Amino acid sequence: MTENAQQQPSAPDSELPTQYAPADVEGPLYERWVERGYFEADAKSEKPPYTIVIPPPNVTGSLHLGHAFQHTLMDALTRRKRMQGFEALWLPGMDHAGIATQNVVERELGKEGKSRHDLGREAFVERVWQWKDEYGGKILGQMRRLGDGVDWTRERFTMDEGLSQAVQTIFKRLYDDELIYRAERIINWCPRCLTAISDIEVEYQDDDGELVSMKYGEGDDTIVVATTRAETMLGDTAVAVHPDDERYKHLVGRHIKLPLTDRTIPVVADTHVDPEFGTGAVKVTPAHDPNDFAIGQRHDLEALTVMDERGVITVHGPFEGLDRFEARSAIVAALRADGRIVAEKRPYVHSVGHCSRCKTTIEPRLSMQWWVKVAPLAKAAGDAVRDGRVKIHPQEMEKRYFDWVDNLHDWCISRQLWWGHRIPVWYGPEGEVVCVGPDDEPPTGDGWTQDSDVLDTWFSSGLWPFSTLGWPEQTPDLKKFYPTDVLLTGHDIIFFWVARMMMFGLYAMDGEVPFKTIALTGLVRDQFGKKMSKSSGTAVDPLDWMNAYGSDAVRFTLARGANPGTDVPIGEDWVQASRNFANKIWNATRFALMNGATIEGELPPAEQLSATDRWILSRLNKTVSQVDALYDDFQFAKLSDALYHFAWDEVFDWYVELSKTTFMAGGEPAKVSGRVLGEVLDVTLKLLHPIVPFVTETLWTTLTGGESIVIADWPKDSGFRDEAAEREIETLQQVITEVRRFRADQGLQPGQRVPARLTLTGTALAPHEAAIRQLLRLQPEGDTFAATATLPVGGATVALDLSGTIDVAAERKRLAKDLAAAEKEKAQATAKLGNEAFLAKAPDNVVDKIRGRLTKADEDIERIKTQLDGLPEA
């Protein structure tokens, strides 16, 4: 377990300041790690590989709590594997974030009174690159502040030269395999961003709208339809009814007048229509609704586009030039004046799609776009999980994954932007279409033009696990570090990113999976479990907390809340508690160093160790084994909690305290305990390091004289166990805890010394008398000792002389009152648990709570009776 034992520091107590100051430690430490190359991975190494690729943050982004959360967990995994002897690669980078980045630069141009069209495409793209070089990547510096142990020498960007080659290569392959095609379909269109966006980039929310019912046709040909988007009626080319609906059979195949126009439209029969919903008749606008488009395809209906790219009406004189929402009101007013409105419902709350980036209401729009045929790719992505090549953790998230990949629609990959990977397709003067790979020369000559669209950002980030390692070239990195081991990401981007990487990885890498495990986390919430937001004042900048409490405190708080797949509540008081934990580690280690804690020399054999020493070493090895198992199961919350309680409770509160008398006595026992304490601290600091890297580095290097804990060996369970010593110390803890509780109940001050007689003969506690007296502030009994309270506990007897310290009569009266309250609580809980009718109706959690009340009441009764028995007669 021990490394660099021969490099024991000469005066450790003088090397640690009295207080831990994270701001003075963290920055210089991180730069030292980077300068020394600790995070750089070697593709030529014979060590087994361990690879994680970072979910690439947007180039426009800054560190938020969600980033800090996931980065902490990825860093912990990677640091541990590095210490375990793996060639660990955590690869960083950024996403070019097409729409978001273009919007940022366009806003900057707007301040100059210009648009991108004033610059032209080439100059605008150059302007974006300038912005990226000057302002982009702010988050990378913030990652350093958090302590991310990434290999900065391998940093990638989704539009760097290598990744651009990968994008062009896979587009060409998919195109040649007829998995990419161009077609006119209904897409989600953002009138603000002026581009198509995919289904998963649409956010739905309940909006207050209106539901208008209106009459089409005349006389016997009248039919009523309802809509929330009255402006689209200008593009109606049919009314649809169910073929079995007797109400409308006489109209099927006939044409009826479309109000406000000089057109007539057919009535068609289609099974898509629900005859039980509304009037059982629906208006059909193929160019502005996906379901209507499908009906139009089945019935060979014309698709009339009635809005331009900005949502402005382009047809029918009175309404031409109006914004879609202005047109909605104007058209309803015109229909009302014409006697066509049957009913109006306002407000009508319904789900409306919005652009996830700018929050503009989405407009379904018929458009010529590029698509990926996902069926074969999605099947492969589903099969890889079903046959076990890829594990999803926690397993219950598999259903969510399958629900998505098993029902994928073809993916619209073209975006009407200028910033991004331009689609590598050229069109010729005679209608030729040529897809160009990275090694091909694009066609030249009069009339040849490249497609003006760029690819969806998720197209390039879907290649991330292998493109960042050099694909399509067969690089040493690709050979060594692919497939990656773990993809750790939030469950909210299974659809955006995880499924894309699975599809593209299996396709490009000949069926080899992009990662072996998908570890899904929840989302960070506020301390009440609600979504953080700037508008509600609950959004937190993690840098503020890092400045106030240190990066280790933020990291430990996030890790301690990380149960697989579930959301993580976090509040500032929890970060303060983690700061206190870091301070506790610091102060306890400083005390230990001042009292001879060392890793010099071998550990003495068990027979030379005290029960206290054997107890802590047994608990230490069990903790190593427990932490390893929890890491392998991605149980960050449980392993953090286990480390917290082992370090604070068992090492610092018990072992250090129990060892004080040994250290004070000096001699060979003190040297032995100093060596044991050094061993315990060495291992404990290593176990804590992946989550709290800064404070552990400072303390460990001071303790051991080693170069860095980053490259130290991860602890191994030696197999040492001593159950007898554990039982002995548990009994000792019971005695100390019960007497401390009794003292507190009597109102004694913690430091107040009390004469006591200890009867330990015949118990395992006899060797611990000095420690018991020291920890409980118990004086020798003296000549005038009179036992006024006797406590039998743990097989021993502790008799206390409390004369002059308490009012016995008042204390008996107080305890009698407490006993009556506890007995009443027991009676009430017993009655409820004995009531069959109550048990049949009450929820399980309520019943469990009452059982807990009963257990506590029994414990309180026993404790109070013991206290009463220990008091002298008044």
Side-chain angles (χ1 to χ4, degrees):
M1 290 185 189
T2 304
E3 182 176 291
N4 295 321
Q6 74 281 3
Q7 299 184 50
Q8 175 67 14
S10 56
D13 53 314
S14 64
E15 295 182 22
L16 286 178
T18 55
Q19 291 185 328
Y20 178 50
D24 297 338
V25 171
E26 294 174 351
L29 260 189
Y30 186 84
E31 293 310 315
R32 189 183 313 155
W33 291 334
V34 173
E35 289 167 6
R36 292 180 178 179
Y38 293 154
F39 306 140
E40 295 176 18
D42 183 2
K44 297 178 182 178
S45 168
E46 294 184 0
K47 295 178 181 178
Y50 183 82
T51 316
I52 295 180
V53 292
I54 209 163
N58 286 355
V59 67
T60 59
S62 59
L63 190 75
H64 57 63
L65 272 175
H67 289 128
F69 170 54
Q70 292 178 359
H71 287 206
T72 294
L73 305 188
M74 285 184 277
D75 195 29
L77 291 173
T78 311
R79 285 177 182 269
R80 171 176 174 257
K81 286 295 182 179
R82 188 179 291 116
M83 295 171 75
Q84 285 182 315
F86 287 78
E87 195 62 38
L89 170 61
W90 187 20
L91 193 147
M94 293 184 297
D95 192 287
H96 66 278
I99 296 177
T101 307
Q102 179 158 321
N103 282 348
V104 167
V105 178
E106 286 197 81
R107 282 196 297 270
E108 292 297 312
L109 283 175
K111 295 175 184 177
E112 303 170 16
K114 297 178 181 178
S115 73
R116 61 180 163 124
H117 300 285
D118 294 322
L119 272 66
R121 183 169 192 144
E122 187 174 337
F124 176 77
V125 171
E126 178 59 31
R127 181 72 174 260
V128 181
W129 276 108
Q130 291 173 5
W131 179 90
K132 184 260 180 187
D133 293 339
E134 188 171 355
Y135 300 107
K138 174 184 178 183
I139 192 172
L140 299 180
Q142 296 168 337
M143 288 162 52
R144 301 170 87 95
R145 179 67 195 283
L146 185 65
D148 284 8
V150 297
D151 186 346
W152 292 111
T153 67
R154 286 177 165 86
E155 180 190 335
R156 302 305 298 268
F157 179 55
T158 51
M159 282 185 62
D160 67 28
E161 184 177 351
L163 269 63
S164 295
Q165 182 185 19
V167 167
Q168 198 171 351
T169 298
I170 201 163
F171 188 100
K172 171 70 171 171
R173 290 189 186 178
L174 289 164
Y175 181 87
D176 290 345
D177 287 344
E178 299 183 347
L179 292 173
I180 281 183
Y181 64 96
R182 193 170 185 240
E184 192 174 44
R185 301 269 185 85
I186 291 284
I187 47 90
N188 302 300
W189 181 266
C190 176
R192 159 62 185 80
C193 297
L194 299 180
T195 182
I197 62 174
S198 65
D199 290 344
I200 53 179
E201 294 169 298
V202 179
E203 293 179 349
Y204 287 90
Q205 66 184 48
D206 287 342
D207 286 359
D208 285 347
E210 60 182 2
L211 181 66
V212 179
S213 299
M214 48 197 180
K215 292 188 296 184
Y216 284 12
E218 304 286 353
D220 292 340
D221 291 346
T222 297
I223 194 166
V224 176
V225 297
T227 182
T228 58
R229 300 165 65 219
E231 68 279 9
T232 63
M233 60 86 58
L234 300 175
D236 286 358
T237 56
V239 170
V241 298
H242 194 276
D244 298 332
D245 195 331
E246 294 293 335
R247 293 171 294 175
Y248 304 117
K249 280 200 170 181
H250 68 288
L251 288 176
V252 174
R254 298 176 62 176
H255 282 66
I256 60 175
K257 179 173 173 51
L258 180 65
L260 306 183
T261 73
D262 56 3
R263 293 192 292 119
T264 61
I265 56 176
V267 178
V268 299
D270 196 282
T271 54
H272 170 76
V273 180
D274 180 0
E276 302 299 324
F277 183 77
T279 64
V282 296
K283 58 189 286 299
V284 181
T285 320
H288 293 277
D289 183 273
N291 293 322
D292 293 3
F293 178 78
I295 294 174
Q297 293 284 92
R298 289 194 288 272
H299 297 277
D300 197 25
L301 300 175
E302 184 180 7
L304 296 178
T305 299
V306 299
M307 273 180 253
D308 68 10
E309 60 184 9
R310 297 183 184 276
V312 174
I313 302 298
T314 58
V315 298
H316 200 69
F319 311 110
E320 187 173 358
L322 294 180
D323 171 80
R324 53 185 168 157
F325 300 120
E326 295 172 337
R328 180 176 301 173
S329 298
I331 287 171
V332 171
L335 289 168
R336 190 184 301 114
D338 200 27
R340 293 283 178 172
I341 298 296
V342 174
E344 297 177 70
K345 185 176 181 180
R346 295 187 188 88
Y348 178 72
V349 179
H350 62 132
S351 182
V352 178
H354 296 260
C355 174
S356 62
R357 290 176 176 82
C358 71
K359 312 309 176 188
T360 300
T361 300
I362 290 301
E363 192 64 45
R365 176 181 171 87
L366 184 63
S367 181
M368 183 67 75
Q369 302 285 345
W370 285 94
W371 304 81
V372 172
K373 187 184 297 182
V374 300
L377 304 175
K379 183 181 184 303
D383 290 345
V385 174
R386 286 189 170 94
D387 63 24
R389 283 176 290 156
V390 176
K391 304 288 186 185
I392 292 181
H393 188 89
Q395 190 174 1
E396 54 264 27
M397 284 286 180
E398 283 186 2
K399 181 181 184 302
R400 192 169 181 179
Y401 175 81
F402 291 135
D403 285 347
W404 180 253
V405 297
D406 292 347
N407 297 284
L408 272 178
H409 300 297
D410 285 359
W411 172 20
C412 176
I413 57 171
S414 47
R415 299 291 181 267
Q416 290 64 56
L417 303 170
W418 287 356
W419 171 246
H421 295 282
R422 196 164 174 181
I423 289 176
V425 172
W426 271 254
Y427 304 109
E430 304 300 325
E432 303 96 329
V433 179
V434 176
C435 180
V436 175
D439 299 324
D440 302 330
E441 288 294 328
T444 57
D446 292 342
W448 282 94
T449 59
Q450 185 177 359
D451 195 297
S452 61
D453 289 350
V454 300
L455 288 163
D456 178 11
T457 294
W458 297 101
F459 189 95
S460 51
S461 58
L463 314 180
W464 190 252
F466 51 94
S467 63
T468 51
L469 296 172
W471 186 91
E473 301 299 324
Q474 295 304 305
T475 64
D477 274 4
L478 193 64
K479 182 179 179 181
K480 175 75 174 179
F481 297 112
Y482 191 89
T484 68
D485 288 86
V486 176
L487 171 71
L488 189 143
T489 191
H491 62 64
D492 57 323
I493 61 170
I494 291 178
F495 321 127
F496 287 89
W497 191 45
V498 178
R500 311 294 195 212
M501 288 189 290
M502 286 286 283
M503 291 191 297
F504 280 169
L506 290 161
Y507 173 79
M509 299 301 292
D510 300 321
E512 195 167 22
V513 298
F515 23 73
K516 300 165 190 172
T517 301
I518 301 169
L520 296 171
T521 70
L523 307 179
V524 179
R525 304 290 189 183
D526 70 15
Q527 59 187 316
F528 305 109
K530 296 181 180 178
K531 184 177 181 180
M532 290 185 173
S533 69
K534 292 181 180 178
S535 59
S536 63
T538 57
V540 173
D541 184 342
L543 293 171
D544 291 341
W545 281 353
M546 284 189 264
N547 290 335
Y549 308 111
S551 299
D552 282 336
V554 174
R555 290 170 61 112
F556 192 74
T557 304
L558 291 165
R560 205 173 178 192
N563 290 299
T566 59
D567 289 348
V568 183
I570 183 172
E572 188 167 3
D573 54 339
W574 302 343
V575 186
Q576 291 173 350
S578 295
R579 185 268 316 273
N580 295 342
F581 179 51
N583 288 341
K584 181 75 170 181
I585 300 170
W586 182 273
N587 293 332
T589 304
R590 187 170 180 274
F591 167 84
L593 290 170
M594 293 172 66
N595 285 275
T598 179
I599 62 164
E600 187 174 1
E602 295 296 322
L603 273 174
E607 58 269 19
Q608 295 180 19
L609 301 177
S610 69
T612 307
D613 293 334
R614 286 181 278 113
W615 161 72
I616 197 63
L617 290 174
S618 182
R619 291 294 306 127
L620 178 70
N621 280 285
K622 286 183 177 179
T623 301
V624 171
S625 180
Q626 180 186 16
V627 168
D628 275 335
L630 292 170
Y631 258 118
D632 291 341
D633 198 34
F634 303 99
Q635 297 282 357
F636 296 99
K638 290 181 179 179
L639 73 89
S640 298
D641 210 49
L643 285 170
Y644 176 90
H645 287 294
F646 175 72
W648 192 308
D649 300 344
E650 299 189 80
V651 179
F652 304 144
D653 276 359
W654 282 109
Y655 182 72
V656 169
E657 291 298 316
L658 289 170
S659 300
K660 281 183 178 179
T661 53
T662 305
F663 288 134
M664 290 169 63
E668 188 60 28
K671 291 181 180 179
V672 171
S673 288
R675 179 64 188 90
V676 172
L677 181 53
E679 183 77 10
V680 172
L681 287 175
D682 173 35
V683 173
T684 302
L685 291 171
K686 288 176 180 175
L687 292 175
L688 284 165
H689 171 72
I691 298 172
V692 285
F694 295 107
V695 67
T696 52
E697 168 80 332
T698 306
L699 295 174
W700 186 86
T701 52
T702 304
L703 169 71
T704 68
E707 180 183 338
S708 173
I709 197 171
V710 176
I711 54 173
D713 292 335
W714 182 254
K716 293 181 180 178
D717 177 2
S718 71
F720 178 79
R721 301 287 190 276
D722 193 323
E723 302 298 337
E726 290 197 41
R727 289 193 297 272
E728 181 175 327
I729 301 305
E730 284 172 9
T731 303
L732 175 61
Q733 290 171 331
Q734 181 186 1
V735 170
I736 292 170
T737 300
E738 287 298 320
V739 176
R740 278 177 173 168
R741 182 184 296 157
F742 181 81
R743 285 177 55 108
D745 288 341
Q746 310 311 312
L748 298 177
Q749 295 300 314
Q752 186 175 352
R753 294 195 169 273
V754 177
R757 176 185 298 143
L758 304 184
T759 306
L760 307 176
T761 307
T763 74
L765 300 179
H768 302 288
E769 179 168 355
I772 293 172
R773 287 189 177 277
Q774 172 68 24
L775 293 176
L776 291 174
R777 304 292 189 269
L778 303 179
Q779 296 177 178
E781 54 192 273
D783 296 335
T784 60
F785 179 81
T788 60
T790 304
L791 301 175
V793 57
T797 302
V798 180
L800 303 174
D801 183 352
L802 302 178
S803 57
T805 62
I806 61 171
D807 182 335
V808 175
E811 186 60 22
R812 278 192 171 277
K813 185 176 180 181
R814 183 184 70 81
L815 289 173
K817 182 178 179 181
D818 290 348
L819 180 61
E823 288 175 338
K824 180 179 179 182
E825 174 75 0
K826 178 179 180 179
Q828 290 175 342
T830 302
K832 283 191 176 182
L833 293 173
N835 186 333
E836 294 296 333
F838 170 77
L839 294 176
K841 295 179 181 178
D844 290 344
N845 64 319
V846 172
V847 175
D848 289 342
K849 187 174 181 180
I850 294 171
R851 288 195 179 112
R853 284 168 50 192
L854 177 60
T855 300
K856 181 160 188 316
D858 282 332
E859 292 171 350
D860 288 344
I861 290 169
E862 182 179 356
R863 175 176 58 81
I864 295 167
K865 284 182 175 179
T866 300
Q867 293 172 19
L868 282 167
D869 291 342
L871 288 174
E873 294 299 323

